[in-house]
Amino acid sequence: MLSDLPFELISHIADYLPTARSLLHLSLTCRRLHEYVEKEGYRVFVQCRFPSQSTPPIWKEAAHALTTLARNWDRKAFLARSLDPSVSILRLPGGGRGGRTASQRRPRGQTMGFQPVIDSYEEWMGKQWVARREVLAWGGGAELVVRVRVMGKAAEERWEHAKNDERVSTFNQHHHHFKWFAYREPWYADGRDDITSLNLLRPSQRAVGSTSATNEEIVVGRASGSLDTVTISPDRLQNIVKTRYTTEDRPVRAADISSSSSPLLAACLSDTAVCVYPFSNDTPTIDPIAELTVIPAEKHGRTWSIRFISPEYLAIGLGPSLKPIHIYQISPDGVTHEPVRKFGAADVNVTTIGDDQLDTGSNSPSGSSSVYSIAAVPPSSSAGGNVGDLLLSGWYDGAIRLHDMRSPSSCVQTYKDPIDPFSAVYSLQPLGRERFVAGGARHAIMKVFDFRISGGKAYYYTDVHGCNSKLSSRKPPTSAPRTSGACCDWHFENRYNRRNWNIFLNLREPASYRMGSRRSSESPVYSLSAPSATSAALYAGIENNVVQFDIVSMMDQHPDPVFKYGPKRTGDIDSDIKRKWDPQGDVMRLAMYEQVPIGAMRLRVQSEVGDFEGGVPGWDDRWCDGRGYY
């Protein structure tokens, strides 16, 4: 009997269960198996089906949240809003409240709006999945905007005791509690003092004995050459503690903080120099411990991006160059003065992922190029490896390349958008090893790619459902290839033939979304940030705006636990959905298309929240045909 087996052998069997529903059915067979599933089964499921995701040991809730999140990504289900601080925003220094932020006013003396730089993180605050504290910060011109969002039972209890005006100004419809801060010194000027780099210090990196666990330490770099640590303390509203890093007034192009418990700060200064500093708040002024000249004076080019791909390795993107990615090693003795590795684009027999096909062939572009963005790819428990083994890079030629520090090849995989193949890639955000998001250089396009690498996607929401030919994208449906092992065409497509897709962050309506001219619809996606790979939130920065994506479906009867609180249901489906997901009427209707050959491309658009279009099989209910939309 299955129930008589030791838990170790049952765990090996549970490795092959494809869905959380299968695990639930197993738990209903007898008490002993129910005990196993509750104690070990959900842990095994989460670690096997989401091997690159790091979660707290709340395994049952994690299984619910991660399977819901995976389904919503696969079905392209999201709600997008343009972020504007609430009326209760606290202004520092000074402690005043209210007033317009940079995203709510037209640029002063500038020909274009600000270019947001964004960072975010979240931390768990209890033993429930929903008990989180999320911090989001962005630079809007010369102004620093910070939002702290608290979710879970603590926020719900505070909402229950709050007065109506406090509920309106500091809570959203999910009873998440918000605090907004805006920091700007009186002498800062837009343009001259624009924020060009921004990094939030993570809780694990805060100094032992910090005065408050709620202090936010933010490293802010500016076009004027200042590089400071700004400490925002909700408990001491008048006290902004600053540590200045010596830059010799050279403009800060980019900066990053290492993930170690004793972090380092690395910054690209001017066009050719990189300085490395020890991070500290104990000293008013800090000099660099190393300065690198990454581009010799006799050569043309500049630095574009910088990233610690691990505590031991620093990656720098520059260009134009034949090998525009330079890797420097960090050791107790300091920073190597010469790169330990350089990566270029030229290679042969590299897998190129375009739309829904994999082609192997030559990928050897001629000439030099530039790298605008770099991101570290997290390790995976099923694929092995270490932090820093893999990195993604976004290139001027429109390609996104995957590099492996263990491989002698310049790149091991290339991702291209067949519809918009030559648009430069300005920003990257990996989400585990399942997928990553890229920001294009024009038309405000955000691109979503499947990684398709070992240790990546191992959960498929269609395994929950039986065969359904109506959901197949091919008309009439065809049989799945015999060698695939899939039972039908629909399951085959979701597992082996998934398509990448692009979203237009075109802020068309209502008018309050767009502060400026048509430029915002043609803007690059300058920055991307996710609080964590398991978060249902994603943030994108376009000209003069920051857009929040909640990866959720309005029709989900059991959404991610972070959305569990909110208005009670009345029985009127249309009214309940509107009150739950869009009470302010600020959810945007965006357009998108799949990355397929041009002749097969179809524009899709979102309907209003509460409208049940359901016009695209296998997609979220808001999607419908885009013909006639414009």
Side-chain angles (χ1 to χ4, degrees):
M1 293 289 292
L2 179 63
S3 60
D4 295 330
L5 294 176
F7 279 0
E8 291 80 4
L9 292 180
I10 298 177
S11 293
H12 286 294
I13 297 172
D15 286 348
Y16 294 91
L17 295 180
T19 66
R21 180 178 295 182
S22 302
L23 204 61
L24 174 63
H25 291 167
L26 178 64
S27 71
L28 297 176
T29 57
C30 68
R31 289 184 178 180
R32 187 169 185 271
L33 289 179
H34 180 272
E35 180 186 4
Y36 162 77
V37 170
E38 293 293 324
K39 291 183 176 180
E40 284 292 313
Y42 287 112
R43 178 190 64 80
V44 172
F45 175 80
V46 168
Q47 293 179 344
C48 287
R49 296 300 163 183
F50 302 94
S52 63
Q53 309 283 18
S54 177
T55 67
I58 315 170
W59 302 114
K60 188 174 183 178
E61 288 186 279
H64 172 201
L66 294 180
T67 53
T68 301
L69 185 63
R71 180 179 70 248
N72 289 332
W73 273 112
D74 288 345
R75 299 184 71 244
K76 306 168 184 64
F78 59 83
L79 303 174
R81 294 177 172 86
S82 179
L83 282 182
D84 280 330
S86 65
V87 295
S88 61
I89 189 169
L90 179 67
R91 300 202 159 272
L92 301 173
R97 290 191 179 273
R100 302 176 105 187
T101 62
S103 61
Q104 295 172 301
R105 60 176 181 260
R106 295 182 183 276
R108 294 178 293 187
Q110 304 294 311
T111 58
M112 60 183 294
F114 66 82
Q115 301 175 13
V117 285
I118 310 174
D119 196 13
S120 63
Y121 75 84
E122 66 179 5
E123 58 178 331
W124 271 271
M125 305 296 292
K127 296 182 179 181
Q128 291 183 318
W129 184 266
V130 68
R132 305 188 198 187
R133 180 176 179 271
E134 179 195 277
V135 180
L136 167 68
W138 75 80
E143 186 174 65
L144 170 65
V145 181
V146 181
R147 187 191 74 179
V148 179
R149 173 166 62 158
V150 177
M151 298 166 273
K153 189 175 181 180
E156 176 67 13
E157 291 176 349
R158 183 166 183 171
W159 183 89
E160 290 176 351
H161 294 91
K163 296 180 180 180
N164 286 335
D165 58 345
E166 183 182 356
R167 290 181 178 182
V168 171
S169 61
T170 62
F171 289 87
N172 68 2
Q173 70 271 24
H174 307 297
H175 301 178
H176 299 166
H177 183 252
F178 293 91
K179 287 185 178 180
W180 289 91
F181 304 91
Y183 168 68
R184 179 186 180 123
E185 297 289 357
W187 56 84
Y188 285 158
D190 289 330
R192 183 194 67 194
D193 296 298
D194 277 1
I195 296 175
T196 55
S197 71
L198 186 151
N199 300 95
L200 284 162
L201 199 69
R202 278 25 180 187
S204 61
Q205 298 174 312
R206 292 173 184 161
V208 177
S210 177
T211 56
S212 174
T214 60
N215 283 0
E216 296 303 330
E217 297 180 354
I218 310 168
V219 179
V220 180
R222 298 181 182 271
S224 57
S226 67
L227 183 62
D228 308 324
T229 298
V230 179
T231 302
I232 294 181
S233 173
D235 302 325
R236 298 183 179 181
L237 303 181
Q238 303 296 326
N239 187 14
I240 303 295
V241 181
K242 299 177 63 177
T243 298
R244 181 174 293 275
Y245 298 89
T246 303
T247 64
E248 298 178 354
D249 294 328
R250 290 172 289 184
V252 180
R253 303 297 191 193
D256 193 34
I257 299 177
S258 67
S259 60
S260 62
S261 57
S262 299
L264 296 175
L265 169 65
C268 297
L269 305 180
S270 188
D271 289 338
T272 61
V274 170
C275 288
V276 180
Y277 306 84
F279 184 88
S280 173
N281 267 340
D282 299 332
T283 307
T285 303
I286 297 179
D287 295 325
I289 58 174
E291 180 167 343
L292 308 171
T293 301
V294 295
I295 300 179
E298 65 274 10
K299 291 189 177 182
H300 172 69
R302 58 157 287 183
T303 56
W304 293 100
S305 56
I306 191 165
R307 184 73 63 187
F308 281 98
I309 59 174
S310 75
E312 295 80 27
Y313 290 103
L314 175 66
I316 301 170
L318 49 86
S321 172
L322 291 174
K323 292 188 175 182
I325 301 177
H326 292 188
I327 309 294
Y328 291 83
Q329 188 169 13
I330 311 290
S331 68
D333 297 328
V335 185
T336 56
H337 290 283
E338 295 295 330
V340 297
R341 185 76 189 271
K342 294 182 180 181
F343 290 107
D347 210 340
V348 296
N349 298 322
V350 173
T351 300
T352 301
I353 298 179
D355 48 340
D356 56 350
Q357 57 188 355
L358 300 178
D359 294 330
T360 300
S362 176
N363 184 39
S364 304
S366 59
S368 58
S369 188
S370 299
V371 168
Y372 292 153
S373 54
I374 297 174
V377 179
S380 170
S381 60
S382 62
N386 300 306
V387 175
D389 285 346
L390 296 178
L391 63 148
L392 272 179
S393 58
W395 291 60
Y396 170 78
D397 63 12
I400 302 163
R401 294 181 169 91
L402 181 68
H403 311 274
D404 192 334
M405 291 286 289
R406 300 163 297 182
S407 170
S409 301
S410 292
C411 66
V412 295
Q413 196 150 280
T414 302
Y415 305 86
K416 295 280 283 188
D417 175 4
I419 306 296
D420 184 31
F422 304 116
S423 178
V425 179
Y426 273 33
S427 52
L428 291 168
Q429 177 59 58
L431 299 171
R433 284 199 181 194
E434 297 181 341
R435 61 187 59 84
F436 66 89
V437 184
R442 57 181 183 175
H443 306 316
I445 292 181
M446 189 175 78
K447 307 181 181 185
V448 181
F449 290 86
D450 275 357
F451 258 119
R452 305 189 190 189
I453 58 176
S454 61
K457 189 174 179 65
Y459 174 79
Y460 305 90
Y461 85 95
T462 51
D463 289 342
V464 176
H465 307 284
C467 299
N468 192 338
S469 61
K470 294 181 180 180
L471 296 179
S472 174
S473 64
R474 287 183 280 191
K475 305 298 182 184
T478 60
S479 300
R482 294 182 178 179
T483 57
S484 68
C487 55
C488 68
D489 179 54
W490 181 51
H491 285 91
F492 172 78
E493 284 188 337
N494 185 262
R495 185 177 289 267
Y496 301 107
N497 202 25
R498 300 184 307 278
R499 293 169 177 168
N500 302 318
W501 41 289
N502 297 352
I503 309 167
F504 291 97
L505 305 187
N506 188 350
L507 310 185
R508 289 181 292 272
E509 52 179 328
S512 60
Y513 291 164
R514 181 176 59 235
M515 303 301 296
S517 66
R518 178 178 172 173
R519 291 184 58 95
S520 60
S521 64
E522 299 297 323
S523 166
V525 178
Y526 290 107
S527 54
L528 293 163
S529 180
S532 73
T534 61
S535 173
L538 175 70
Y539 302 97
I542 61 175
E543 183 180 326
N544 227 47
N545 280 280
V546 175
V547 180
Q548 173 178 324
F549 287 84
D550 290 323
I551 312 302
V552 67
S553 172
M554 66 178 184
M555 295 298 293
D556 199 338
Q557 295 296 318
H558 304 283
D560 189 299
V562 298
F563 303 110
K564 66 184 294 185
Y565 298 111
K568 296 181 179 179
R569 297 178 182 176
T570 64
D572 184 338
I573 297 178
D574 293 347
S575 175
D576 287 347
I577 289 177
K578 191 74 174 178
R579 290 170 58 243
K580 175 69 175 177
W581 300 113
D582 192 21
Q584 304 298 324
D586 58 350
V587 171
M588 297 186 292
R589 297 171 60 198
L590 300 183
M592 61 86 65
Y593 62 88
E594 289 185 311
Q595 296 179 18
V596 296
I598 293 179
M601 189 190 77
R602 296 286 296 275
L603 183 70
R604 311 291 189 182
V605 297
Q606 289 178 314
S607 61
E608 298 285 353
V609 172
D611 291 345
F612 309 99
E613 293 289 345
V616 184
W619 291 27
D620 183 55
D621 296 88
R622 290 183 65 204
W623 290 109
C624 58
D625 196 300
R627 288 177 292 184
Y629 182 75
Y630 292 98

